Amino acid sequence: MRVFVLFMCAWACQGREFVDKMDRYLIACHTTDFTCFKRQYTALRDNVLLGNVKLAIDNFEPFSVQYGSDCVRIEGWTESELIGIGMDGSSKQLTLALELPVYMKQVKNLTNCAKPELATISVTFPFTLLKKKGDIYLVLDQEEVDALVDIPVYRPWSLTCSSLDAEAAELNQASDWAYDIVQHVEAARDFAVPFTGRLRTAFQRIPLKRLMLLYPEEDYSDLQFAFIDPIVLLSK
């Protein structure tokens, strides 16, 4: 399963007190250090985006959708990883790409109804720079989200007694079940935005210098950089 999305974040904590409490979780990265940005995202994911009692951030609740008589929960953000990041100072756009497994579960009996498939989420949002009390903040506008979910199609199977055919039948049924569900879900709006909205809020509450370090020749107003995980490119 592949999901392509554009994204960013939302919760309640105010001003400098919020930033001071977050200090222990922040990782600042130079614009040439992609490995650092990957660690930065993981730290934010685990300590902020998914919830934190110490920061008064509610736990992130997976998206649930009514499907027939069942309530189906769609999960996977807890295992999301940053696989790409870019910033274009001229067009004022920040782009992130995430990779995560997508799980679909029936909530009623807590049965795993489909094995997780890999999802790739590409996130782009326009931004403005705001100077406040000597610090520069990255203010992200409302994200545009575009999602494509591809459900895998398994090989044809015949009604025989072999274990391989039985397994193929089960996989096809899971594929059909998952395909029917995603027809009822606006993946961009329902699955992605509740999570990415938290990221948008985090960025605009944290001074940019605590997330992104400049070299002497750089300026936040005209930064130009982009990275993508080479392993992802090779796997395509």
Side-chain angles (χ1 to χ4, degrees):
M1 179 187 301
R2 301 234 177 244
V3 183
F4 296 92
V5 192
L6 298 170
F7 78 92
M8 286 279 127
C9 63
W11 66 80
C13 259
Q14 299 296 323
R16 187 159 300 278
E17 180 182 359
F18 172 76
V19 176
D20 292 341
K21 288 182 178 180
M22 277 196 63
D23 263 348
R24 72 190 70 179
Y25 309 122
L26 298 179
I27 298 175
C29 301
H30 280 101
T31 55
T32 55
D33 193 343
F34 180 42
T35 301
C36 180
F37 280 122
K38 291 167 71 76
R39 291 190 293 108
Q40 179 189 84
Y41 172 77
T42 300
L44 287 173
R45 180 199 69 191
D46 293 343
N47 299 297
V48 179
L49 305 181
L50 294 175
N52 189 317
V53 174
K54 295 179 181 178
L55 297 177
I57 302 172
D58 293 337
N59 288 334
F60 179 76
E61 293 294 332
F63 173 72
S64 296
V65 60
Q66 188 70 34
Y67 179 69
S69 60
D70 298 328
C71 182
V72 179
R73 180 177 296 160
I74 304 177
E75 303 177 355
W77 289 109
T78 58
E79 299 172 53
S80 59
E81 297 181 2
L82 183 74
I83 60 170
I85 183 172
M87 188 171 182
D88 188 335
S90 59
S91 63
K92 295 293 187 291
Q93 285 191 331
L94 176 67
T95 302
L96 303 177
L98 303 179
E99 189 173 69
L100 66 151
V102 173
Y103 301 84
M104 295 187 186
K105 297 180 179 179
Q106 286 180 322
V107 179
K108 183 170 59 177
N109 56 15
L110 299 180
T111 300
N112 240 348
C113 297
K115 295 181 179 180
E117 299 291 341
L118 198 62
T120 303
I121 297 182
S122 174
V123 189
T124 303
F125 17 55
F127 69 82
T128 55
L129 296 176
L130 174 66
K131 190 171 185 179
K132 184 170 60 175
K133 295 182 179 179
D135 286 324
I136 295 178
Y137 292 80
L138 186 66
V139 180
L140 299 167
D141 292 340
Q142 179 66 39
E143 64 269 38
E144 298 177 359
V145 181
D146 187 18
L148 172 64
V149 179
D150 294 331
I151 303 298
V153 178
Y154 298 100
R155 67 177 176 82
W157 55 281
S158 59
L159 293 174
T160 67
C161 297
S162 74
S163 59
L164 289 178
D165 284 325
E167 180 181 358
E170 182 180 351
L171 289 174
N172 273 277
Q173 291 171 355
S175 178
D176 291 341
W177 179 85
Y179 180 82
D180 287 342
I181 289 177
V182 298
Q183 304 310 301
H184 295 76
V185 176
E186 172 48 67
R189 183 194 65 209
D190 298 331
F191 176 62
V193 170
F195 180 83
T196 62
R198 292 183 168 221
L199 187 56
R200 178 173 9 96
T201 298
F203 270 77
Q204 65 190 32
R205 292 181 180 275
I206 302 170
L208 192 50
K209 66 183 181 184
R210 301 199 186 188
L211 294 171
M212 200 172 296
L213 302 174
L214 296 179
Y215 291 106
E217 69 276 11
E218 291 181 325
D219 188 89
Y220 289 123
S221 63
D222 58 6
L223 282 178
Q224 299 276 346
F225 68 89
F227 300 98
I228 188 69
D229 195 327
I231 296 178
V232 175
L233 293 176
L234 291 174
S235 66
K236 298 300 183 183

